[in-house]
Amino acid sequence: MVQASDAHAASAPPASPAGARAGEFELIARYFRRPSSRAVLGVGDDCALLQAVPQQQWAVSTDMLVEGRHFLAGTDPRRLGHKALAVNLSDLAAMGAQPHSFLLALALPAADDAWLSAFSAGLFALAEAHDIELVGGDTTRGPLNLCLTVLGLVPPGGALRRDAARAGDDLWVSGVPGEARLALGHLRGEWTLGPEALEQVLPRLEQPTPRVALGLALRGLAHAAIDVSDGLLGDLAHVLRASGVGAEVLADALPRGDVLAAQPEARRRACQLAGGDDYELLFTAPQARRADVVAAAAATGVPVSRIGSVDGEPGLRLRDAAGHSIRTAWASFDHFAQP
Ligand code: ADP
Ligand code: MG
């Protein structure tokens, strides 16, 4: 892509435009070019070449992380490399797709070697763990901004779509949603956690685990799935709307963990039901497949909890353990609804 600095070159030539480009290519070669076993042609040409896979569909998704909006300035670059890929892998997990390859578009304020080597170490550690390869991208100078595009494979009809929930399904969630929001609240000064509690929940915010293996194990088993990035109730509402169904959520059936359990009830519920950033899977599955869901969770080492049920009555009803309805104004995180 033509850089803004190239456009300025006509009126005020930079000292060494050729040198600046050489630096960019060297940076890509040093930090982002890896041998690819999967792409026909990886980083280095105008396009990567991927072999079309017979009898498979591509699941493709992009997520952008902007400094000051999705992560705080000064965030540890290694953790950021992990998180940038984790949030994208989470979208593949939520479709039941097998990770294949990804692209990285990066705006950097400066070519800082220490930052780049930590960032790429965090990125490639997670990439190797999930057997996904970096096949291309774009690099430019600008305010720190990371945009990843992931590609995954799924057999036709095998994807876990938002529009596939059915009345009578159970509602399930993986992990302990709310812990990431609890950590964020501490960092923002909304509340204070003790050092041990913080140590337990901070990795949930900074280094979420994409539930890729669980997503794959749920193929042919779950009906609908979504990853919880913006808050459980808000993300559930997307599934219900897309599927034309309603649901009852049992707030007290949500898993707590030690740290959430120790919080005042209002804070705990707000974190569990409206907190974002957990990247857990929220999914529906037929009641008759309960034992299979539990087995899939055990096989992939990811705890799951049954938190409610899908029905034909439009809307979302929240109840406590006694069956009383809980009123809530919690919306999930909407970037354009923020002041
Ligand atoms: P072009 O000008 O043709 O778009 P670029 O100079 O932007 O090419 O990129 C050169 C090569 O390096 C391309 O193959 C591109 O996909 C790759 N690339 C650029 N930035 C990155 C990055 N951050 N991570 C991985 N590959 C990258
Ligand atoms: Mg380019």
Side-chain angles (χ1 to χ4, degrees), residues 65-84 112 114-116 118-119 144 146 184 187 202 205-208 277:
L65 276 82
V66 177
E67 185 178 69
R69 167 65 43 181
H70 301 96
F71 60 93
L72 305 170
T75 295
D76 176 72
R78 193 185 166 101
R79 291 188 185 145
L80 196 56
H82 173 106
K83 183 159 180 175
D112 174 340
W115 192 94
L116 278 160
F119 174 79
L144 186 56
L146 318 165
L184 182 64
L187 297 183
L202 197 56
L205 178 69
E206 292 188 331
Q207 293 186 280
D277 267 335

Side-chain angles (χ1 to χ4, degrees), residues 1 21 24-25 28 32 43-46 104 106 134 136-139:
M1 161 180 172
R21 287 291 280 170
E24 177 192 322
F25 296 135
I28 295 165
F32 299 114
V43 170
D45 211 315
D46 293 313
L104 167 66
L106 196 57
L134 180 59
D138 197 23
T139 307

Side-chain angles (χ1 to χ4, degrees), residues 302-328:
V302 181
V304 295
S305 307
R306 188 155 52 83
I307 60 163
S309 53
V310 178
D311 54 45
E313 192 187 326
L316 204 168
R317 292 157 299 281
L318 195 58
R319 294 196 192 285
D320 66 14
H324 297 131
S325 95
I326 302 173
R327 298 221 162 274
T328 171

Side-chain angles (χ1 to χ4, degrees), residues 20 23 34 49 61 85 90-91 124 127 133 181 210 220 249 294 303 324 335:
R34 294 280 194 281
L49 293 175
S61 176
L85 182 56
S90 178
D91 285 317
F124 283 112
E133 290 184 352
R181 182 64 182 83
V249 174
V294 171
H324 297 131
H335 291 275

